[in-house]
């Protein structure tokens, strides 16, 4: 029918039509562009001539001419179906929805047709001519794209029923059209009711429809979504303007009785409405007419509705959380506005202005919301969570498991950063135990992490929770997923290696077999001392083993649950015991790796001394001592003392008084390191040791070692100073028994006798070199413990150096002179003298 | 991850990044990622006369692959800890390799 009408027009009366709208002619032209005129003539069947083109009898059916003159203008001049359709797409959709909803519910025809006709007029004319074209464009892609129609509500369903419905009932157009018009009234009513009682008015229709259409739930959900966001604002306002005189009052008069008939359910349903707009006089009764529909099944409706709305995506509707928010606003406000506009005349100019301003602001906001929400509902929740999962998994694989932060896994991956930032964040209680305040750091870190996420997602809290749950789930999924590092596609020649930041793509894939380890290095077969056990590589490997064990022990220490509050029961008793046991095993392992118990003299250099000769071996001592028992520590001290002359820092590090210090840089460095890394541990140990141990150590030195060699090195002197001063401190603190003190004095005398010839030679460099402070300290330590007779011998031995220093200090600037004299005074005062005496 | 971990600790420290095209850029390290891409703030090119086109650049993002050296502030590096971290990394790699 419609095609006939088109072709008749195309041909003759209105040439404008033929030019502006003849897509088929265009097609044929472009396909066959040699001579179009001939082509047209050939293909023209002359049917047009037989048509009665003067009769416009069916134009109305085709072009929706039932609306009168207005419809002709757009149809006649611009025959762009799709463009037209696009302009009014929203209205069409609404029409469709309304139509399909209404068919089984003809109740809504009650308001007079003339009223609805007027109200619908504003947007009615355009959709009809455009409809056929619209269906073609719209329905096809939709059905193509939608695999699962149910997730989209009833959109495809809605489109198909309407397509036949529109052209065919066109002949008996008037009555259905009238019905449709009626329903517009209902649309308005629905909107009004939504404003007042967001849940109520539209329920009956979905419910009534339920038997006739499958999937009542999505359908019921859809109208709300549809109304709430797809109508253009201007349409709403237009509608409102039309409605104002009628929408509020006319239905009022007409339908109030009906509403009253269903008094009880109304009362229930209406409660929210009266609450939400208490001031709006007219609108309250106007909600009654709609109530007459839900009323008969008011209670079931409500039940039905809540399940619909609750799962309905908040994004789309915002009903459950914010009934008067976003898209809803357009409906809540309009009736209010209408009522207010009715009262505008009563307001002052200022109030009017402010009201209008507020109105404008609201309209602007609504428009913005509308624009923002035009794509709402495009993705189902499933789609969204799917995308989210993908993103999260990528995140996890790229940056690591967020839930792992603060755990051992994170520590393994990010050790340096985690520890260092913990060190910087908190104070360092003990330089030798840097790993103890981790927990604090981790809290700090996860805290910032969370903060960052919170700042980004400003959404409600439950959204964050959902997000976190999703992260957890994604992480678990990623964990459970078998990790294939390579993919071999069937039939392909190569492999595809995956990589991420944590596990870079391996460029070389060398599998070293056991045999190859031996064959790959024939050159290293000639070891210098394969049997001594002190060969460099082996020693270095030993050191590394010690470090690995140390780190394991430190990890255990860190994981050790905090001790229970004093006296209380220990909830972590089992765990603590278990860790202690592991620590004990590691301690044994460490002790074996240190090789302290290797027989002395079995090898040219004792393994432990070899261990100490490397800088990292020295550095390990401090940490090793933290994990050794006092007995083990004492054993180490003994080993060091016995081999004192073999230490790299003693052997070849002797100085000669008066000669320039000619130590090479490496030795100097290693002496410094020994002082920094090893001596404090030994000092700490000695300070805890009994006097008889100190005595024993000094005896070892005196009897087993070349005192001259030892005393002429800085480390040797420092060690001796340490021993002597500890004995003196023990005596002063009253820790020494008479017997042990006697032993000490005897040993000391032996030592002094051995040392005395060396005394003049223990000063490093010349007087001017000024590196002799540790010697003065040593002399002071001797002087304190020495008998008066020994003190005299001591003074005699070092007298020259004292005098030289004093005379040198006179030529030096005052501050330097003072430093030198203070050094000397360390010694002088220990024997009851002072350099001041010498100056006179 | 050791280098990433390490450079993260240098954030907000001043470093000098030497690129493979010999340009040296000194600036405050603002960010680093697992590819060792580097973001520097308040930058200054070491030989400014040679590269005048960079004299007005205030901050840069440097792709990790074009970096030759990063000159570190020695005070900001905890050497023993770094040694331990290296041991851990090595142990981990050895564990993975097996």
């Amino acid at each position: 029918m419609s095609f006939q009408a088109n072709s008749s027009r195309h041909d003759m009366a209105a040439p404008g039509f033929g030019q502006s709208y003849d897509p088929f002619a265009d097609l044929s032209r472009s396909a066959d562009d040699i001579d179009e005129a001939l082509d047209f003539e050939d293909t023209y069947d002359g049917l047009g001539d037989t048509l009665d083109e003067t009769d416009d009898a069916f134009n109305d059916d085709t072009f929706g001419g039932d609306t009168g003159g207005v419809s002709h203008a757009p149809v006649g001049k611009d025959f762009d179906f799709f463009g037209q359709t696009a302009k009014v797409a929203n209205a069409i959709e609404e029409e469709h929805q309304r139509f399909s909803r209404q068919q089984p519910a003809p109740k809504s025809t009650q308001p007079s047709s003339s009223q609805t006709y007027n109200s619908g007029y504003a947007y009615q004319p355009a959709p009809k001519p455009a409809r056929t074209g619209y269906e073609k464009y719209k329905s096809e892609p939709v059905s193509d794209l939608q695999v699962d129609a149910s997730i989209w509500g009833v959109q495809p369903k809605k489109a198909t029923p309407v397509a036949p419905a529109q052209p065919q009932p066109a002949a008996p157009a008037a009555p259905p059209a009238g019905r449709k018009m009626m329903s517009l009234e209902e649309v308005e009513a629905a909107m009004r009711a939504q404003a007042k009682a967001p849940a109520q008015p539209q329920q009956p229709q979905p419910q009534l429809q339920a038997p006739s259409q499958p999937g009542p739930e999505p359908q019921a959900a859809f109208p709300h979504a549809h109304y709430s966001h797809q109508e253009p604002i201007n349409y709403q306002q237009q509608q409102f303007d039309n409605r104002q005189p009628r929408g509020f009052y006319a239905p009022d008069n007409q339908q109030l009785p009906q509403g009253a008939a269903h008094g009880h359910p109304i009362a229930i349903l209406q409660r929210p409405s009266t609450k939400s707009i208490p001031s709006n006089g007219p609108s309250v009764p106007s909600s009654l007419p709609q109530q007459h529909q839900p009323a008969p099944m008011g209670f079931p409706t409500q039940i039905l509705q809540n399940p619909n709305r609750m799962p309905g995506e908040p994004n789309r509707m915002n009903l459950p959380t914010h009934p008067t928010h976003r898209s809803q606003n357009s409906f809540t406000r309009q009736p209010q506005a209408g009522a207010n506009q009715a009262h505008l005349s009563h307001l002052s100019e200022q109030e009017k202005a402010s009201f209008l301003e507020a109105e404008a602001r609201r309209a602007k906001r609504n428009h913005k919301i509308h624009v923002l929400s035009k794509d709402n509902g495009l993705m189902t929740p499933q789609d969204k969570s799917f995308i989210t999962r993908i993103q999260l998994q990528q995140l996890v694989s790229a940056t690591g498991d967020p839930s792992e932060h603060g755990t051992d896994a994170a520590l393994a991956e990010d050790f340096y950063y985690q520890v260092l930032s913990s060190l910087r964040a908190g104070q360092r209680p003990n330089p030798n135990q840097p790993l103890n305040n981790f927990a604090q750091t981790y809290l700090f870190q996860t805290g910032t992490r969370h903060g960052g996420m919170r700042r980004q997602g400003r959404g409600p809290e439950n959204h964050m929770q959902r997000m976190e749950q999703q992260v957890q789930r994604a992480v678990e999924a990623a964990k459970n997923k078998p990790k294939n590092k390579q993919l071999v596609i069937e039939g392909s020649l190569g492999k595809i290696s995956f990589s991420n930041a944590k596990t870079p793509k391996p460029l070389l894939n060398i599998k070293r077999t056991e045999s190859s380890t031996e064959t790959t290095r024939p050159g290293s077969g000639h070891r210098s001392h394969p049997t001594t056990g002190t060969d460099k590589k082996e020693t270095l490997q030993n050191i590394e083993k010690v470090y690995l064990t140390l780190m394991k022990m430190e990890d255990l220490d860190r994981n050790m649950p905090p001790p229970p509050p004093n006296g209380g029961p220990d909830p972590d008793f089992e765990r603590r015991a278990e860790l202690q046991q592991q620590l004990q095993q590691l301690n044994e392992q460490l002790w074996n790796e240190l090789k302290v118990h290797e027989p002395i003299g079995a090898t040219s250099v004792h393994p432990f001394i070899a261990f100490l000769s490397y800088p990292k071996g020295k550095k390990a001592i401090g940490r090793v001592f933290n994990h050794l028992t006092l007995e083990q520590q004492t054993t180490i001290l003994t080993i060091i003392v016995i081999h004192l002359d073999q230490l790299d820092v003693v052997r070849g590090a002797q100085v000669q008084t008066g000669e320039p210090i000619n130590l090479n840089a490496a030795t100097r460095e290693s002496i410094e390191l020994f002082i920094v890394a090893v001596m404090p541990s030994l000092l700490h140990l000695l300070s805890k040791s009994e006097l008889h141990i100190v005595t024993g150590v000094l005896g070892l030195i005196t009897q087993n070692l070349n005192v001259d060699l030892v005393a002429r090195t800085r480390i040797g002197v420092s060690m001796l100073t340490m021993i002597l001063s500890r004995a003196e401190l023990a005596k002063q603190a009253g820790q020494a028994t008479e017997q042990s003190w006697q032993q000490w004095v005897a040993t000391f005398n032996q030592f002094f006798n051995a040392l005395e010839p060396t005394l003049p030679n223990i000063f490093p460099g010349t007087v001017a070199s000024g590196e002799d402070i540790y010697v003065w300290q040593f002399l002071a330590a001797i002087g304190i413990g020495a008998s008066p007779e020994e003190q005299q011998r001591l003074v005699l031995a070092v007298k020259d150096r004292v005098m030289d220093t004093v005379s040198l200090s006179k030529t030096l600037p005052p501050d330097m002179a003072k430093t030198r004299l203070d050094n000397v005074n360390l010694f002088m005062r220990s024997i009851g003298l002072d350099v001041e005496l010498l100056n006179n | 991850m050791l280098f990433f971990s390490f450079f993260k600790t240098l954030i907000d420290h001043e470093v000098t990044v030497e690129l493979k095209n010999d340009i040296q850029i000194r600036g405050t390290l603002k960010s680093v990622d697992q590819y060792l891409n580097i973001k520097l703030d308040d930058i200054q090119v070491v030989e400014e006369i040679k590269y005048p086109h960079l004299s007005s650049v205030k901050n840069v993002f440097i792709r990790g692959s074009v970096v030759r050296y990063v000159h570190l502030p020695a005070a900001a590096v905890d050497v023993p800890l770094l040694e331990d971290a290296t041991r851990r990394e090595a142990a981990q790699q050895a564990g993975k390799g097996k």
Side-chain angles (χ1 to χ4, degrees), chain A residues 414 417 424 544 555 623, chain B residues 5 8-9 84 87-88:
Chain A
D414 205 10
Y417 174 75
R424 284 181 188 164
E544 284 307 314
D555 281 348
R623 289 164 72 180
Chain B
S5 189
K8 274 199 286 183
T9 65
D84 264 16
R87 288 188 181 101
R88 279 172 187 268

Side-chain angles (χ1 to χ4, degrees), chain A residues 597-657:
Chain A
H597 274 313
E598 296 281 311
I600 295 166
T603 52
S604 63
V605 179
H606 190 272
F608 183 71
I609 300 305
F611 180 98
L612 269 186
S613 67
Y614 291 97
K616 57 181 175 182
K618 294 189 183 77
K619 285 180 197 161
I621 294 298
R623 289 164 72 180
V624 166
F625 267 49
N626 287 329
H627 297 283
L628 293 182
T629 63
L630 199 62
E631 188 187 345
Q632 287 169 326
Q633 293 177 21
T634 309
T635 311
I636 286 183
L637 173 68
T638 313
I639 289 285
I640 291 177
V641 166
I642 288 177
H643 296 96
L644 201 54
D645 56 347
Q646 293 179 25
L647 285 177
D648 65 331
V649 289
V650 174
R651 193 182 43 188
Q654 280 80 20
V655 295
Q656 181 66 45
T657 299

Side-chain angles (χ1 to χ4, degrees), chain B residues 25-59:
Chain B
I25 303 170
R26 182 166 43 236
T28 310
L29 183 67
K30 289 321 273 184
S31 170
V32 66
D33 66 7
Q34 62 262 42
Y35 304 104
L36 306 185
N37 298 328
I38 287 173
K39 243 168 87 178
L40 293 182
D41 235 358
D42 300 326
I43 65 151
Q44 199 182 0
V45 178
V46 172
E47 289 175 281
E48 214 159 12
I49 295 169
K50 227 171 144 187
Y51 310 101
H53 59 288
L54 287 175
S55 55
S56 66
V57 180
K58 283 287 156 262
N59 47 53

Side-chain angles (χ1 to χ4, degrees), chain A residues 5-79:
Chain A
N6 282 344
S7 62
S8 74
R9 287 200 170 226
H10 152 74
D11 212 20
M12 16 184 327
F17 278 145
Q19 279 152 7
S20 70
Y21 172 73
D22 190 4
F24 302 104
D26 269 319
L27 276 176
S28 64
R29 251 179 249 142
S30 62
D32 187 5
D33 43 5
I34 301 172
D35 59 356
E36 34 201 304
L38 266 180
D39 195 23
F40 179 74
E41 289 298 312
D42 289 345
T43 53
Y44 185 50
D45 55 8
L47 279 176
D49 298 338
T50 67
L51 288 171
D52 181 8
E53 59 280 342
T54 56
D55 192 351
D56 287 343
F58 291 113
N59 278 1
D60 285 356
D61 294 343
T62 307
F63 298 111
D66 53 348
T67 53
V70 177
S71 72
H72 281 301
V75 170
K77 285 183 178 159
D78 182 5
F79 217 68

Side-chain angles (χ1 to χ4, degrees), chain A residues 254 487 536 657:
Chain A
Q254 282 184 338
L487 171 70
K536 181 177 179 179
T657 299

Side-chain angles (χ1 to χ4, degrees), chain A residues 572-589:
Chain A
D572 301 315
F573 176 76
E574 288 181 16
R575 177 162 163 72
R576 191 192 312 281
E578 188 189 333
L579 290 180
Q580 288 289 4
Q581 197 189 343
Q582 289 179 27
L583 265 184
Q584 186 55 40
Q585 287 174 357
L586 285 172
N587 175 278
E588 286 168 25
Q589 191 184 333

Side-chain angles (χ1 to χ4, degrees), chain A residues 315 322 326 453-465 467:
Chain A
N315 292 336
H322 309 287
R326 296 206 181 169
M453 281 167 75
R454 294 252 152 77
R455 250 177 280 125
Q456 279 179 356
R458 265 173 288 153
E461 197 61 18
N462 62 352
H463 183 63
M464 276 311 304
Q465 284 172 357
M467 196 69 178

